[in-house]
């Protein structure tokens, strides 16, 4: 196992897979990343829940923490204590009088500015995912924010920051990201084609 594996969070995207999705999840979990975020934004709640149950079984078998994305109620029903949210959804949940965030031991927030990072920390985020750092096919035509942006977010944040966007398993690139103060990296394309 690479010394970097524990700094890598795998992020899913079924549309990038060249093999059946659950087979790919099995391969990713065998790699032993720090966690796997099930980020399938095109699914409705019921389809997401069905897929999440299958993915959780694979993650549990490999002892890889599974983080669900956006669907707070699905995570609660499946007993998942880690959730990743876009900042707007974190704001919405934090303002909810029913306190839906109380069910989670770890809450991640996606941020795209230093101001976002500060706001997410104030709202109770346990960690941040900042991006996109490098050019990526997932965001064609949108310029990357770069390493200077990542350094600023890491400096401003009160919680660990993970970089996302155009990051590969290349050790030199990983080192450049980690040297900015990031706790780790999130990799989508590279994990879905592993």
């Amino acid at each position: 196992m690479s010394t970097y594996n524990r700094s890598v969070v795998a992020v899913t995207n079924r549309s990038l897979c060249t093999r059946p999705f659950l087979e790919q999840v099995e391969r990713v979990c065998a790699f032993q990343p720090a966690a796997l975020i099930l980020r399938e934004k095109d699914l409705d709640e019921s389809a997401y829940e069905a897929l999440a149950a299958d993915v959780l079984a694979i993650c549990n078998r490999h002892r890889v923490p599974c983080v669900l994305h956006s669907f707070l109620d699905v995570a609660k029903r499946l007993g998942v204590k880690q959730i990743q949210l876009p900042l707007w959804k974190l704001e919405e949940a934090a303002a909810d009088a029913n306190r839906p965030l109380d069910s989670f031991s770890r809450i991640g927030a996606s941020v795209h500015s230093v101001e976002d990072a500060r706001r997410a920390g104030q709202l109770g985020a346990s960690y941040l995912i900042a991006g996109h750092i490098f050019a990526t096919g997932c965001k064609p035509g949108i310029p990357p924010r770069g390493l200077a942006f990542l350094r600023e977010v890491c400096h401003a944040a009160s919680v660990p920051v993970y970089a996302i966007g155009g990051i590969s398993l290349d050790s030199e690139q990983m080192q450049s990201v980690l040297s900015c103060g990031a706790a780790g990296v999130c990799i989508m394309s590279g994990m879905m084609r592993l």
Side-chain angles (χ1 to χ4, degrees):
M1 174 166 57
S2 160
T3 56
Y4 286 119
N5 289 37
R6 301 313 296 169
S7 300
V8 173
V9 173
V11 181
T12 71
N13 183 335
R14 298 180 337 281
S15 69
L16 298 176
C17 292
T18 56
R19 60 178 49 87
F21 179 67
L22 293 177
E23 185 181 318
Q24 187 62 40
V25 170
E26 193 81 51
R27 288 174 66 93
V28 169
C29 287
F31 173 80
Q32 288 292 299
L36 179 137
I37 298 174
L38 183 62
R39 180 186 179 270
E40 298 301 325
K41 295 166 82 172
D42 63 312
L43 297 179
D44 65 21
E45 186 166 330
S46 132
Y48 184 88
E49 185 166 2
L51 183 62
D54 291 338
V55 170
L56 276 166
I58 296 168
C59 287
N60 290 340
R61 200 165 49 251
H62 288 275
R63 294 190 175 104
V64 171
C66 185
V67 180
L68 297 191
H69 192 282
S70 293
F71 291 107
L72 295 157
D73 291 336
V74 169
K76 286 183 205 174
R77 285 193 295 270
L78 294 176
V80 175
K81 298 294 186 189
Q82 297 188 63
I83 192 82
Q84 174 67 33
L85 302 170
L87 182 57
W88 69 267
K89 193 145 192 146
L90 175 61
E91 289 174 327
E92 193 177 85
D96 187 330
N98 294 321
R99 303 175 57 89
L101 297 176
D102 288 355
S103 301
F104 299 96
S105 60
R106 203 151 183 254
I107 301 163
S110 302
V111 300
H112 304 97
S113 70
V114 169
E115 183 180 298
D116 284 358
R118 289 189 179 117
R119 178 79 178 129
Q122 291 164 353
L123 293 170
S126 312
Y127 67 92
L128 308 175
I129 295 179
H132 67 285
I133 305 306
F134 301 111
T136 172
C138 295
K139 296 195 184 286
I142 302 173
R145 291 184 172 88
L147 292 173
F149 157 79
L150 178 61
R151 199 171 291 111
E152 287 175 26
V153 169
C154 291
H155 180 72
S158 57
V159 295
V161 175
Y162 292 80
I164 194 167
I167 300 169
S168 70
L169 290 169
D170 170 79
S171 61
E172 193 173 307
Q173 187 189 43
M174 292 262 299
Q175 189 52 49
S176 72
V177 168
L178 296 174
S179 70
C180 291
V185 299
C186 294
I187 299 178
M188 183 187 293
S189 297
M191 289 289 115
M192 294 298 94
R193 296 180 179 132
L194 189 64

